[in-house]
């Protein structure tokens, strides 16, 4: 059983923020900023590829709810929603979860570096994506 399944089964404690039939949300133990929330389906899916459409919708509705909660209750002005899909992207816990991360001016949170397309590369990518 994965660590988040153990939390969902109440075998391991968490700082729960929200729960319904399909979804659990609790505070990340090592927050980027205070109030950093993890939102996940109660059923174990490793990633977005695996999750059912119904559970995905249920999770995303809670992500929206949590963002609103951060703004209303913690006075957060904006937030990031991220999900690391598979280990290559930085996923450490193999149970699909969305990070809802409060942001503050000058909090030092660095986003990903950006690059440029080489000659013809964007057309090649689009061709593959649309084939
Ligand atoms: P990810 O890299 O997307 O898999 O992120 C996993 C997140 O889970 C990290 O931000 C961890 O701090 C968080 N985490 C791991 N174990 C726990 C736990 N027992 N309670 C709360 N958050 C946790
Ligand atoms: Zn799990």
């Amino acid at each position: 059983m994965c660590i988040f399944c153990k939390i969902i089964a109440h075998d391991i404690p968490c700082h729960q923020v929200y729960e319904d039939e399909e979804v659990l949300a609790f505070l990340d133990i090592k927050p980027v900023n205070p109030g950093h929330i993890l939102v996940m389906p109660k059923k174990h899916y490793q990633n977005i590829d695996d999750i059912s459409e119904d559970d995905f919708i249920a999770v995303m509705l809670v992500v929206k709810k949590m963002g609103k909660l951060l703004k209303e209750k913690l006075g957060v002005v904006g937030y990031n929603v991220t999900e690391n899909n598979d280990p290559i992207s930085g996923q450490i816990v193999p149970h699909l979860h969305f990070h809802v991360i409060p942001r503050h001016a000058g909090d030092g949170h660095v986003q990903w570096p950006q690059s440029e397309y080489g000659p013809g590369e964007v057309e090649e990518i689009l061709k593959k994506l649309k084939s």
Side-chain angles (χ1 to χ4, degrees), residues 1-12 44 94-95:
M1 200 189 266
C2 88
I3 184 163
F4 287 173
C5 279
K6 286 181 184 161
I7 289 175
I8 290 157
H10 301 293
D11 291 342
I12 294 179
H44 181 97
H95 182 126

Side-chain angles (χ1 to χ4, degrees), residues 2 5 7 10 23 54 75 78 80 85 116 120:
C2 88
C5 279
I7 289 175
H10 301 293
V23 183
D54 283 350
N80 290 101
N85 210 57
E116 306 282 344

Side-chain angles (χ1 to χ4, degrees), residues 4-6 9 20 26 30 36 44 54 59 61 63 65 71 81 93-94 97 100 103 112-113 117 122:
F4 287 173
C5 279
K6 286 181 184 161
D20 65 29
F26 54 83
K30 288 190 179 168
H36 178 164
H44 181 97
D54 283 350
V59 168
L61 289 175
V63 166
K65 211 184 276 283
K71 285 190 163 179
V81 175
V93 178
H97 55 281
V100 186
R103 297 300 308 278
W112 46 80
Y117 280 110
V122 72

